[in-house]
């Protein structure tokens, strides 16, 4: 925003507040500013009518009022419709959205310009939800489900080895869900992908339950500060692809009233485009909308002091007002922005209308859905995956050929949207009946397998193979080039009972079960050790791809004979760190039979077994010397060896 722009929202300086809002209309309108005394008031205490002659500057309506204090409640009224300020920094906590009032906040102007970011290739991302992480009683925190409660669990994350948190949406959202459970219970949107504003932090995670408080800002900043003190970066999941107003005949909160044709993309028939799957699509490359997005990002980056962003359905930000993909979009502008270009920029590079992974501007990192699918299929035992798996493990440069950087790829096997990693190994089918949509919602093609029983079981044989396969997936994830991301609770085999679209389950289905860590301490320990292994050996964190036949050598059961054929279910890698004189051997076996792998010959060194996923915790990560020429790898298992 240039020095000539009016600051949108409520700008408080000394005791004078300037209220400004963008509104486009070709007819004469009645525009009022309402000031309220109490949260529950339906009628304003003071009303200010704006005039076109005195208060309109282009398409911005603005009024300055004396004797305004921080905490003053306000809303706009346009043609008898209440309008929630799109630039408000806080809202009251009324459960009904149209009963909410915006709150005047004195925005800070002193913020840190220097951030001590890690090298991108060193990140270990943990995708989580502020509320769900501590809402369970067994979290044993003082303020469950809050920003403050999350702080109490930072030692847990630090112990695991996490150095970057990715929070699901934290801005105020509409949690209303039309459908009910089969028993008639009311459902609420808990994930937060239904925004009403891109600046106001949600009170749903505040420990201060006063409806007119704005302590959520201070509380969130304190959370960010504490994470930073512990060496953990903060990434926000942001939803700039649609809003809670949804499509035709849906509620009007602000954007529809202010400038429907500006904020939303429409087709030739003037119908809302639905590239988001939520009934509307934000018109991200219109000047007004683009400015709002950039202002929102600057507020997050500078005022809230977060380190970066994950953009939900980010390909929508690369489309014009008719939904066509364009090269010069806000996606490119962000990489050239004097401040925001320094932030972490992570995309979910697809939407309902297209798949654009690998097509984003350089310096973006992108969720790699191809990586997810290939690893799942290989672990499941599907044919025709091995050749592609080698590409995924080595940085997916076939996908990100323009960047030549392995850090372009965010490698993940599970995320909030879909099965947890344990459910991926426990269910052949999704079980979403509790979402109230007759199991129609959620992904049908999950590449999952239950190993003989659908759901949770006490069968020790099935539990053993599930744990082994879970460890295989984690091993692959943390030795792959690119940036690894794990889902909250996968380190303790968290289950959602087969629900792969649990966006509306604010209950034990989605709450982190802290007691489960006791039952899956072996999985937690394995995850922690694999993270530690990745951090210890820089060859697995290179920003450039391994050089074949110099750093990377492919093998099969016999040396230099990798089986990349259709029916192959195994592969071995020899990786040489020429800078640090380290050498590793990794073998992956997805056959239901054991395989005898020939080990590379060494000069003046010996092979030491670091981990074998078929073995128990007490036998792993001890670096045991191995003197044989071959290693008998058990069915559905993996090994890592190190030369010393």
């Amino acid at each position: 925003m240039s020095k000539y722009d009016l600051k949108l929202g409520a700008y408080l300086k000394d005791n004078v507040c300037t209220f400004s809002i963008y509104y486009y209309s070709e007819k004469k309108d009645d525009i009022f500013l309402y000031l309220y005394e109490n949260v529950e008031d339906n009628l304003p205490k003071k009303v200010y009518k704006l005039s076109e002659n005195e208060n309109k500057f282009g398409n911005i309506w603005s009024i300055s009022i004396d004797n305004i204090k921080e905490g003053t409640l306000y809303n706009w009224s346009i043609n008898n419709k209440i309008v929630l300020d799109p630039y408000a920094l806080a809202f009251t906590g009324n459960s009904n959205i149209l009963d909410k009032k915006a709150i005047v906040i004195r925005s800070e102007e002193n913020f840190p310009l220097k951030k001590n970011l890690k090298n991108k290739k060193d990140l270990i991302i943990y995708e989580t939800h502020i509320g769900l992480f501590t809402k369970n009683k067994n979290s044993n925190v003082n303020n469950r489900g809050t920003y403050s409660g999350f702080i109490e669990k930072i030692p847990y994350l630090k112990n695991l080895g996490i150095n970057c948190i990715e929070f699901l949406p934290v801005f105020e959202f509409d949690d209303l869900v039309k459908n009910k459970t089969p028993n008639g219970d009311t459902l609420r949107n808990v994930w937060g992908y239904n925004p009403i504003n891109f600046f106001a932090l949600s009170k749903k995670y505040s420990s201060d339950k006063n409806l007119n408080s704005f302590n959520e800002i201070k509380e969130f900043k304190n959370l960010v500060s504490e994470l930073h003190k512990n060496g953990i970066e903060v990434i926000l999941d942001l939803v700039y692809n649609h809003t809670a107003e949804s499509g035709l005949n849906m509620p009007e909160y602000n954007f529809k009233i202010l400038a429907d044709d500006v904020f939303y993309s429409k087709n030739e028939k003037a119908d809302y485009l639905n590239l988001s799957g939520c009934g509307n699509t934000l018109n991200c490359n219109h000047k007004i909308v683009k400015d709002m997005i950039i202002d929102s990002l600057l507020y997050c980056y500078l005022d809230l002091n977060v380190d970066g962003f994950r953009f939900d359905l980010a390909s929508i930000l690369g489309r014009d007002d008719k939904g066509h993909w364009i090269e010069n979009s806000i996606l490119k502008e962000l990489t050239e922005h004097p401040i925001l270009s320094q932030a972490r920029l992570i995309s979910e590079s697809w939407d309902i209308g297209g798949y654009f992974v690998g097509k984003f501007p350089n310096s973006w990192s992108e969720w790699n859905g191809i990586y997810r699918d290939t690893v799942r299929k290989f672990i499941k035992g599907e044919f025709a995956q091995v050749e592609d798996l080698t590409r995924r493990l080595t940085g997916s440069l076939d996908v990100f050929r323009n960047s030549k950087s392995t850090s372009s790829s965010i490698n993940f096997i599970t995320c909030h949207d879909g099965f947890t990693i344990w459910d991926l190994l426990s269910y052949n089918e999704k079980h979403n009946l509790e979402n109230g949509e007759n199991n129609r919602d959620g992904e049908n093609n999950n590449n999952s397998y239950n190993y003989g029983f659908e759901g949770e079981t006490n069968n020790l044989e099935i539990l053993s193979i599930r744990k082994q396969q879970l460890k295989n997936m984690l091993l692959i994830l943390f030795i792959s080039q690119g940036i690894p991301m794990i889902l909250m609770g996968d380190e303790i085999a968290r289950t959602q009972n087969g629900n792969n679209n649990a966006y509306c389950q604010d209950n034990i289905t989605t709450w982190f079960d802290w007691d489960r860590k006791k039952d899956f301490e072996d999985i937690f320990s394995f995850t922690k050790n694999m993270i530690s292994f990745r951090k210890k050996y820089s060859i697995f964190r290179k920003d450039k791809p391994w050089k074949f036949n110099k750093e990377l050598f492919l093998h099969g059961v016999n040396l230099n004979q990798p089986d990349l054929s259709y029916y192959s279910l195994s592969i071995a890698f020899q990786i040489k760190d020429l800078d640090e004189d380290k050498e590793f051997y990794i073998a992956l076996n997805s056959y239901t039979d054991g395989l005898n792998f020939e080990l590379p010959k060494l000069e003046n060194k010996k092979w030491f077994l670091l981990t074998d996923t078929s073995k128990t915790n007490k036998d792993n990560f001890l670096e045991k010397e191995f003197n044989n020429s071959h290693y008998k790898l058990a069915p559905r298992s993996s090994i890592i060896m190190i030369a010393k």
Side-chain angles (χ1 to χ4, degrees):
M1 195 175 279
S2 78
K3 66 180 181 179
Y4 300 108
D5 289 331
L6 287 168
K7 291 189 176 182
L8 295 174
Y11 179 65
L12 181 61
K13 187 173 184 180
D14 298 327
N15 67 337
V16 177
C17 190
T18 300
F19 299 86
S20 302
I21 196 166
Y22 173 86
Y23 173 67
Y24 175 78
S25 175
E26 295 181 352
K27 61 181 184 295
K28 193 172 181 64
D29 303 283
D30 292 324
I31 300 181
F32 298 89
L33 177 71
Y34 287 172
L35 301 185
Y36 299 89
E37 187 170 14
N38 298 304
V39 174
E40 301 293 352
D41 289 349
N42 292 320
L43 298 175
K45 179 183 179 182
K46 292 183 179 179
V47 176
Y48 296 88
K49 181 173 174 43
L50 281 69
S51 74
E52 192 165 347
N53 292 333
E54 296 180 9
N55 303 105
K56 186 180 180 185
F57 306 89
N59 292 318
I60 293 178
W61 295 74
S62 183
I63 184 172
S64 295
I65 302 173
D66 292 333
N67 299 318
I68 298 294
K69 297 179 180 179
E70 190 172 39
T72 296
L73 309 180
Y74 74 98
N75 272 334
W76 292 91
S77 173
I78 299 179
N79 298 331
N80 296 317
K81 292 181 178 179
I82 294 295
V83 177
L84 302 177
D85 188 350
Y87 271 72
L89 300 182
F91 287 113
T92 56
N94 309 68
S95 57
N96 187 334
I97 290 182
L98 287 177
D99 290 335
K100 291 181 180 293
K101 285 84 176 170
I103 305 175
V104 174
I105 305 294
R106 193 181 302 277
S107 180
E108 291 184 15
E109 296 185 350
N110 298 316
F111 39 73
L113 289 174
K114 181 69 175 174
K115 292 180 183 286
N116 297 315
L117 296 182
K118 298 169 182 63
N119 193 311
K120 188 159 60 170
K121 63 184 178 61
D122 295 331
L123 294 178
I124 309 288
I125 301 176
Y126 189 87
E127 190 199 33
T128 187
H129 184 285
I130 284 177
L132 301 179
F133 195 56
T134 63
K135 213 161 191 180
N136 203 316
K137 287 183 178 179
N138 60 23
S139 67
N140 295 319
V141 302
N142 291 321
N143 294 292
R144 293 186 287 118
T146 68
Y147 304 114
S148 297
F150 198 97
I151 291 175
E152 296 185 51
K153 291 299 184 181
I154 291 177
Y156 169 85
L157 296 167
K158 195 173 181 181
N159 179 38
L160 183 59
I162 301 302
N163 60 23
C164 183
I165 287 289
E166 184 176 301
F167 285 128
L168 266 63
V170 296
F171 288 130
E172 201 56 83
F173 61 94
D174 184 359
D175 63 1
L176 182 65
V177 176
K178 285 187 174 181
N179 40 303
K180 295 180 179 293
T181 68
N183 294 329
D185 296 333
T186 300
L187 293 170
R188 290 287 178 183
N189 183 319
V190 66
W191 280 355
Y193 292 92
N194 209 18
I196 62 173
N197 166 290
F198 303 110
F199 295 86
L201 290 166
S202 179
K203 279 186 168 50
K204 296 177 178 66
Y205 316 127
S206 175
S207 59
D208 188 338
K209 301 309 177 185
N210 293 322
L211 298 184
N212 62 341
S213 166
F214 47 92
N215 281 335
E216 65 271 12
I217 300 175
K218 181 179 180 181
E219 196 173 346
F220 178 79
K221 287 183 178 182
N222 188 41
L223 168 58
V224 173
S225 176
E226 290 300 316
L227 286 164
H228 284 167
K229 288 177 185 176
N230 285 275
I232 300 175
E233 293 184 15
V234 180
I235 291 173
L236 295 185
D237 192 338
L238 297 172
V239 190
Y240 295 128
N241 56 75
H242 75 284
T243 76
E245 292 182 314
S246 196
L248 192 64
N249 300 320
M250 296 301 286
E252 297 180 339
Y253 300 137
N254 39 28
F255 301 108
K256 281 186 177 181
I257 302 169
L258 294 172
D260 192 41
D261 292 336
V262 168
F263 285 103
Y264 297 114
S265 299
K266 297 184 178 182
N267 61 20
E268 289 75 9
K269 297 179 181 179
D271 296 326
Y272 293 101
L273 289 184
N274 187 22
L275 296 170
S276 66
C278 300
N280 62 31
T281 301
L282 209 62
N283 187 13
C284 298
N285 285 294
H286 187 287
K287 168 68 174 168
I288 297 300
V289 185
K290 190 188 297 184
D291 283 351
M292 179 182 67
I293 292 172
I294 289 175
D295 286 345
S296 168
L297 292 171
L298 286 170
Y299 174 68
C300 295
Y301 192 64
L302 298 177
D303 288 63
L304 300 182
N305 201 27
V306 303
D307 304 292
F309 315 100
R310 179 263 185 188
F311 294 77
D312 182 61
L313 299 181
S315 52
I316 285 176
L317 282 81
R319 297 179 180 274
D320 64 15
D321 61 342
K322 295 295 185 289
H324 303 127
W325 179 260
I326 54 178
E327 293 300 323
N328 294 314
S329 67
I330 189 174
L331 298 174
K332 184 178 180 183
E333 287 187 29
L334 290 176
T335 67
E336 300 168 347
H337 192 279
I339 295 175
L340 294 172
S341 60
Q342 305 305 303
R344 306 287 190 207
L345 299 175
I346 298 174
S347 67
E348 181 185 38
S349 305
W350 56 83
D351 56 39
I352 285 182
Y355 191 81
F356 296 91
V357 176
K359 294 182 172 63
F360 273 53
N362 287 345
S363 80
W364 279 82
S365 295
E366 306 178 49
W367 275 23
N368 191 343
I370 301 172
Y371 179 97
R372 171 200 62 205
D373 296 341
T374 299
V375 173
R376 288 185 180 191
K377 290 175 183 177
F378 174 77
I379 293 298
K380 184 181 176 183
E382 285 194 19
F383 294 133
Q385 302 305 315
V386 171
E387 185 175 5
D388 193 57
L389 183 68
T390 63
R391 291 190 283 266
R392 302 308 135 233
L393 269 67
T394 54
S396 295
L397 267 297
D398 58 322
V399 176
F400 304 103
R401 57 174 61 92
N402 293 328
S403 73
K404 305 298 182 186
S405 168
T406 61
S407 296
S408 295
S409 180
I410 302 292
N411 298 329
F412 70 104
I413 299 167
T414 56
C415 65
H416 68 277
D417 190 2
F419 279 144
T420 66
I421 203 167
W422 187 250
D423 286 357
L424 195 65
L425 302 166
S426 304
Y427 294 89
N428 287 346
E429 309 291 340
K430 65 185 182 183
H431 294 264
N432 296 357
L433 281 175
E434 287 301 308
N435 296 347
E437 298 182 40
N438 295 317
N439 212 40
R440 293 191 301 269
D441 64 305
E443 177 61 54
N444 292 314
N445 184 23
N446 297 286
N447 297 310
S448 62
Y449 185 53
N450 67 18
Y451 298 93
F453 185 84
E454 188 76 353
E456 294 289 279
T457 179
N458 293 321
N459 184 302
L460 295 180
E461 184 178 348
I462 294 176
L463 284 173
S464 177
I465 188 59
R466 287 178 182 176
K467 284 186 174 185
Q468 189 167 307
Q469 292 287 57
L470 195 160
K471 289 189 286 185
N472 287 331
M473 286 192 279
L474 290 174
L475 184 147
I476 290 173
L477 179 66
F478 289 113
I479 60 98
S480 296
Q481 286 190 290
I483 300 172
M485 182 187 81
I486 63 172
L487 171 64
M488 172 186 91
D490 276 353
E491 73 280 7
I492 58 165
R494 185 174 71 89
T495 179
Q496 293 181 166
N497 303 313
N499 192 325
N500 75 348
N501 188 36
Y503 76 100
C504 56
Q505 300 297 323
D506 188 5
N507 49 52
I508 57 173
T509 300
T510 53
W511 295 349
F512 194 109
D513 182 0
W514 293 90
D515 287 342
R516 200 169 173 90
K517 183 175 180 291
K518 302 168 188 173
D519 298 327
F520 291 89
E521 186 63 45
D522 51 345
I523 299 301
F524 178 86
S525 178
F526 186 86
T527 309
K528 177 180 175 180
N529 281 317
M530 281 306 306
I531 291 174
S532 178
F533 170 78
R534 182 180 179 87
K535 287 181 176 180
K536 184 175 181 179
Y537 299 110
S538 60
I539 189 69
F540 297 100
R541 295 179 282 109
K542 287 192 66 176
D543 195 43
K544 299 298 180 183
W546 293 319
K547 297 175 183 176
F548 276 86
N549 300 320
K550 187 174 182 181
E551 294 174 301
L552 177 67
F553 303 83
L554 296 184
H555 303 296
V557 290
N558 296 316
L559 291 179
N560 303 309
Q561 297 180 38
D563 184 357
L564 305 179
S565 67
Y566 179 87
Y567 293 105
S568 175
L569 291 174
S570 70
I571 188 70
F573 302 84
Q574 184 180 358
I575 302 168
K576 294 184 178 182
D577 187 339
L578 303 177
D579 295 329
E580 298 187 10
D581 191 28
K582 295 284 192 310
E583 193 166 346
F584 303 88
Y585 178 80
I586 298 169
L588 312 173
N589 177 22
S590 274
Y591 286 102
T592 53
D593 293 319
L595 294 175
N596 202 26
F597 282 86
E598 182 183 2
L599 299 179
K601 295 176 176 60
L602 298 170
E603 291 185 14
N604 303 318
K605 289 184 180 180
K606 293 182 178 180
W607 286 114
F608 288 76
L609 178 65
L610 182 69
T611 186
D612 180 333
T613 59
S614 69
K615 298 184 181 299
T616 60
N617 257 18
K618 62 183 178 62
D619 296 315
N620 272 315
F621 298 98
L622 299 176
E623 298 190 6
K624 292 182 178 179
E625 184 177 336
F626 189 82
N627 291 311
N628 295 337
S629 62
H630 290 69
Y631 190 94
K632 184 65 180 291
L633 189 56
R636 291 170 170 159
S637 62
S638 312
I639 59 165
I640 300 176
M641 288 185 152
I642 184 171
K644 289 190 175 184

